[in-house]
Amino acid sequence: MFSGMTRRAALSVAFAAGLTAATTGGGFADGHKMTFTLATAGSETDQRSQAMAQVFAPMVAEFADFQPGYNATLFAQGTELEAISRGNLTMSIASAQELAQFFPEFSIFATGYVHQDAAHQVRVFNDPLMDPFKKTVEDDLGVKLLSVMYLGKRHVNLRQTREELDVQTPADLAGVNLRMPGTDAWQFLGKALGAAPTPMAFTEVYTGLSTGAVDGQDNPLPTVVDAKFYEVTKQIALTSHLVDLNYIAFSKEVWDGLSADQQLQVQRAADAAAAWGRLKQLDKENNLADFIRSKGVEIYTPDLDAFRTHVQAQYVGSEVASSWPEGVLEKINALGN
Ligand code: KDO
């Protein structure tokens, strides 16, 4: 995969001016409980939200209250990392695409057909190859990446019936107005799929689909169900173009204010939540197709070789790939199956 790709060795890191950690903090050494706020664009029933509420929160309850803000009610999607960095938020469920806004090299983890499955994501996250990535985020943004969460395999989900539009290859997506989240890495992936990507916040997608403002969206099956996208779409082409992940992002400033025991507890809680959520999400992903079909949505597998070949070719020699540190893609691939 991606062998023989030409990439510039130079790493161009975009430092966000003024985003060094501010000073509100969240810890109190006088016996009061701290408050850990979490912002996510996900719903309360999203598996990652559930993992944080049901597994993470109880494991830190001795010293911290957990205050989640779901559906982007605390911070707009894509602004959470900056909020942590400024000291206004403790935690988020962050994407590699969001991190790539600050550190373009993170686009490697947001690239189509790189991660192979949930286990591969975990191996990559725990491998020493991640150390410089984690360190940069910590040093320059004041954010610790505690653990990796599994979101799932993203597929193309459209309003058109399969009779109207049978998606077999990227060419079939030409002119299709596909909603993708609003950062460069996402938009690049949408184009690489052959579609015409439109940026839109997650919380707007249901309405966008129901009014026809967009033709489709891409998300894993559990999200299609959780957000009820099956009510406003007619088909899913199982492109599996991105085995998607999120990081549990935590304020470095708050972390530094914790005792060693508390740090250990927070780390354990994050790992336990990620592991619990991963298993639940995989189970959902494997068992939701019949339910979605029963709602009148056709699900089928397109020509995956055509998609993989086309998507990978778009990254080769691209500006996106030029930000990837030398040798990292090979290391990621070596950790695959
Ligand atoms: C989305 O906006 O499509 C996306 O799936 C992107 C993810 O990175 C993640 O932020 C997710 O939305 C939200 O948590 C809502 O599920």
Side-chain angles (χ1 to χ4, degrees):
M1 191 185 285
F2 282 108
S3 55
M5 178 182 288
T6 332
R7 290 182 305 280
R8 287 206 306 271
L11 165 62
S12 82
V13 178
F15 293 106
L19 291 187
T20 47
T23 49
T24 60
F28 303 98
D30 60 0
H32 284 89
K33 269 198 189 181
M34 302 169 229
T35 299
F36 289 172
T37 48
L38 169 89
T40 172
S43 71
E44 186 169 356
T45 48
D46 179 291
Q47 210 55 68
R48 293 156 303 159
S49 305
Q50 292 277 301
M52 296 308 290
Q54 293 186 34
V55 180
F56 179 87
M59 286 181 71
V60 299
E62 207 177 284
F63 55 92
D65 286 327
F66 178 67
Q67 255 181 34
Y70 304 115
N71 301 310
T73 45
L74 285 182
F75 291 95
Q77 184 179 28
T79 64
E80 303 93 334
L81 287 168
E82 190 173 333
I84 297 175
S85 189
R86 290 186 188 281
N88 298 326
L89 177 69
T90 323
M91 309 179 71
S92 78
I93 296 176
S95 65
Q97 293 83 350
E98 288 159 2
L99 282 155
Q101 286 182 286
F102 302 98
F103 313 109
E105 66 269 31
F106 266 87
S107 60
I108 198 166
F109 308 115
T111 292
Y113 300 106
V114 167
H115 282 116
Q116 296 174 7
D117 54 28
H120 188 205
Q121 288 177 350
V122 175
R123 286 197 294 276
V124 169
F125 186 77
N126 294 328
D127 192 86
L129 79 86
M130 275 304 292
D131 292 348
F133 289 88
K134 291 173 183 166
K135 185 170 174 355
T136 303
V137 180
E138 236 175 273
D139 293 350
D140 298 334
L141 204 57
V143 171
K144 273 187 80 70
L145 303 180
L146 294 180
S147 214
V148 66
M149 294 189 126
Y150 181 65
L151 179 53
K153 290 187 217 130
R154 296 180 82 99
H155 308 296
V156 172
N157 173 209
L158 300 176
R159 295 176 80 234
Q160 290 92 336
T161 62
R162 192 172 174 192
E163 288 67 43
E164 290 165 338
L165 178 57
D166 184 20
V167 178
Q168 287 303 322
T169 72
D172 298 320
L173 289 177
V176 169
N177 186 358
L178 186 69
R179 175 272 169 179
M180 301 290 286
T183 74
D184 292 349
W186 283 115
Q187 297 296 303
F188 190 97
L189 179 59
K191 276 201 201 93
L193 281 168
T198 300
M200 184 182 278
F202 182 76
T203 43
E204 308 296 320
V205 176
Y206 184 94
T207 307
L209 290 167
S210 65
T211 61
V214 288
D215 293 322
Q217 66 90 31
D218 83 308
N219 256 296
L221 299 186
T223 307
V224 169
V225 171
D226 189 58
K228 296 194 167 51
F229 293 151
Y230 58 79
E231 291 178 351
V232 285
T233 56
K234 287 289 175 209
Q235 62 158 297
I236 297 175
L238 296 171
T239 45
S240 301
H241 52 271
L242 184 68
V243 181
D244 205 8
L245 57 76
N246 292 103
Y247 304 110
I248 301 181
F250 194 89
S251 159
K252 171 85 165 64
E253 187 186 29
V254 175
W255 176 268
D256 288 342
L258 299 175
S259 69
D261 271 1
Q262 289 170 337
Q263 287 180 349
L264 191 63
Q265 203 50 28
V266 168
Q267 182 62 60
R268 280 192 182 141
D271 289 338
W276 184 91
R278 183 177 306 113
L279 289 181
K280 295 262 185 196
Q281 190 78 339
L282 281 166
D283 187 51
K284 283 194 171 200
E285 196 169 40
N286 292 332
N287 290 296
L288 284 175
D290 285 347
F291 171 79
I292 297 172
R293 285 195 176 103
S294 78
K295 297 293 177 184
V297 176
E298 190 163 354
I299 302 182
Y300 61 100
T301 306
D303 181 343
L304 286 180
D305 281 346
F307 270 100
R308 190 179 296 108
T309 306
H310 183 81
V311 167
Q312 291 185 343
Q314 307 313 302
Y315 284 90
V316 175
S318 69
E319 205 184 322
V320 172
S322 74
S323 70
W324 301 347
E326 197 67 30
V328 171
L329 184 61
E330 289 72 13
K331 287 182 190 163
I332 295 174
N333 289 340
L335 292 166
N337 299 314

